[in-house]
Amino acid sequence: MWLLDKFLNKAIKHGQLIVTDYDGREYIYGSEPGNYSAVEGGKPGPIRIRLTDRKAAMHIARYPQLGAGEAYMWGWLVVEEPHDIRDMILFVTMNAKRLGDETLKAKGPLRKIAQKAVAKLDGINLRGSARKNAEHTYNLTRQLYERFLDEDRQYTMAYYREDPANTSLEKAQMDKKAHLAAKLYLKPGMKVLDIGCGWGGFALYLNKMYGVEVTGVALAPDQIAFCKERAEAEGVADKVKFALMDYRDVEGEFDRISSVGLLEHVGTIHYPQFFEHTHRLLKPDGVMISHCCGRAGPPGYTDAWTRKYIFPGGYIPALSELVTESEKAGWQVMDVEAMRFHYSYTLEEWYNRTVMHREEITQMYDEEFYRMWLFYLAGAEQSFRNGTMVNWQLQYVKDRNAIPMTREYITEESARLREKGDVPRWRFDPALREAAE
């Protein structure tokens, strides 16, 4: 316990954390047990946790980002009511104040070098491993995702334009789609490639709002099967097509390319290939938009727990990595937007919905999986709330004449899409309607 005790004594400066070791000995950290909470409107402290196994403290202290998650999954770490694992994670990381704080990382230069080396190797996503990694992440039961995502199954950041406390997840996800669609600068009849199409919501939205033809590709079989079912049900299977395919195998020419939540799974070693191939696929006057999680700082590496349990092969890029590699392939970056805090509110809602459906999820899997999922969502939330993670939205072109000279068109088009809800854009714009007809 001495190593964990040393870390917590150094880290906890606000609020109070009380740890009961497996032998019943109690340790108190911080000095404000009363009204302190890690988040606005949260439950006040002190936060109490119990370690139920003699190996728990050392397992956590040796490498907190991996050990704490495993201890919670295995039942070695229990958070006492009225608090939960989210409260604890936000509390500790708010005290540590920033993701990547040295107190939360592996100790010693050799261990740090080893962690970075393993993370780099894990980011090599050849076709076979890329499909295996995608299936690990996205081929879980449909019922699981139904329990915590919005109705359209958007598994990426929602866009909270207004007070998050008074904005539903469904509305925020609809606003995200409108914001992205506006940046594509679409016209009816265009051909769009949606790389990493998820469960098809964005592809179907683009077709509905603009009358464009969309090809969506992804590597998780159940996702693609679900996408095809949706297209058939909506009667647009001839206009919105989905394929179980690696983006590197896509051929043809497209007016627009979108990738939402895709670059996190590409791997840094494959960035040149991604940008070169998409550059070949896009027409000379085309536009590509990419939305991904990002680091508001220099390049880093994926922590061991996330690589092992949630996103094998995944890596969240720094802006410098994306811009540098895209420039080498001939892209021109026309618009960059850093989306701060939006994902923390999205993840908070996913966490709450997961808790709401605890019984069903544990029946699908088991308690260990349920605790793993909670730790993942809460851990991800803290990195966007207390850490330095953001979401990047980048717009790429080959020719600067492909888009208007000022970015007002993005604001105006996004507003029009929100105003009309799910009414197709080309139906209420006379010029676009005439072009579509």
Side-chain angles (χ1 to χ4, degrees), residues 178-205:
H179 196 59
L180 283 169
K183 293 182 179 184
L184 281 168
Y185 195 54
L186 287 159
K187 298 177 182 178
M190 283 185 166
K191 292 185 177 181
V192 181
L193 173 63
D194 186 22
I195 304 175
C197 60
W199 285 274
F202 190 53
L204 292 166
Y205 176 84

